[in-house]
Amino acid sequence: MATVQLKKLQKAHGPVARALRTLRPWATFFRQFVKHPAMIGSIIPSSNALVQSMLAPVDWSTTRLFVEYGPGVGTFTRPILEKMRPDAMLVAIDTNADFVRYLNGDIADHRFRAVHGSAVDVRSIIADYGFSEADYILSGLPFSTLPEGVGPQIAEETHAALRPGGTFLVYQYSRFVQAVLSPSFSKIDTALEWINIPPCRMFWATKEAPLAQAA
């Protein structure tokens, strides 16, 4: 009975209903953090300041395919969709089936797909949607807690999945990932966003074009 009443409140209008809709993703995020703390990394979703700083270098006018690893409850997903072209696509990949179900049920946008899978399989996943390469790939995966060997494999597969000039955008709470990215990416820009709990390090690893193509 209580569940039915809660659903009615969520569908209703007014401040109470709006508050419930706002709290729903936080509640989902917290439940998954309790179940899988090592795979989520922080008990608090990313701040809006981090989202905007992380996405600032993206050229939305030329972006056809954006990929997100570990979207969680969509803290980055929704701002990405707001900025994307009408004919672009966002594919979000998560190993957590609960997050995938939540996002597919909560976001009604023909440009969006949440997929239950691993970032290691990014090339086969985007191929399922008719793409051979991505323009940008974003990750908040906690590389320092991934099983041994998985981080470097994700970096290699991400590099292979990006178009020349494409960028791997990574936000982390330590410098650990830089050593993971360096063997695959020769150009890595970094910055620190203080307006986040905790302050977050940002990495933009660009796949450089072959010399003949660059010329």
Side-chain angles (χ1 to χ4, degrees):
M1 188 59 148
T3 302
V4 173
Q5 290 176 336
L6 178 59
K7 288 182 178 179
K8 287 181 178 178
L9 281 171
Q10 288 175 331
K11 292 179 180 179
H13 299 286
V16 174
R18 285 195 295 272
L20 286 170
R21 284 192 287 270
T22 300
L23 289 172
R24 183 177 172 229
W26 281 76
T28 302
F29 187 92
F30 180 75
R31 284 197 301 271
Q32 295 307 312
F33 177 83
V34 171
K35 289 169 65 176
H36 312 286
M39 290 305 296
I40 294 178
S42 173
I43 195 170
I44 301 174
S46 302
S47 69
N48 183 62
L50 174 59
V51 173
Q52 298 307 318
S53 295
M54 195 75 247
L55 299 178
V58 176
D59 182 356
W60 299 103
S61 67
T62 60
T63 300
R64 294 300 182 91
L65 176 63
F66 200 111
V67 177
E68 182 180 6
Y69 299 157
V73 294
T75 304
F76 277 86
T77 308
R78 292 174 180 82
I80 291 169
L81 288 169
E82 289 172 3
K83 297 172 184 293
M84 278 190 351
R85 295 163 43 137
D87 61 344
M89 186 171 189
L90 169 58
V91 176
I93 305 170
D94 207 308
T95 57
N96 187 317
D98 291 328
F99 281 147
V100 171
R101 280 191 295 270
Y102 170 80
L103 290 173
N104 280 328
D106 195 64
I107 298 178
D109 191 312
H110 71 279
R111 302 170 300 165
F112 175 70
R113 297 290 186 278
V115 179
H116 183 216
S118 170
V120 169
D121 301 317
V122 58
R123 284 191 285 174
S124 63
I125 290 172
I126 65 174
D128 288 341
Y129 294 100
F131 293 92
S132 60
E133 56 188 18
D135 298 289
Y136 295 93
I137 298 178
L138 170 74
S139 176
L141 298 177
F143 277 82
S144 61
T145 63
L146 293 176
E148 185 176 355
V150 173
Q153 191 175 2
I154 289 174
E156 291 172 12
E157 289 298 318
T158 299
H159 185 273
L162 285 167
R163 63 166 172 80
T167 303
F168 188 22
L169 303 86
V170 184
Y171 55 100
Q172 301 281 287
Y173 299 112
S174 74
R175 295 181 181 273
F176 178 88
V177 73
Q178 189 154 7
V180 178
L181 296 174
S182 295
S184 297
F185 295 89
S186 57
K187 177 176 168 46
I188 304 174
D189 297 312
T190 66
L192 182 64
E193 176 55 65
W194 289 97
I195 308 176
N196 192 73
I197 302 175
C200 191
R201 297 188 180 277
M202 301 177 290
F203 303 83
W204 297 275
T206 301
K207 179 177 180 176
E208 296 190 296
L211 291 178
Q213 183 174 335

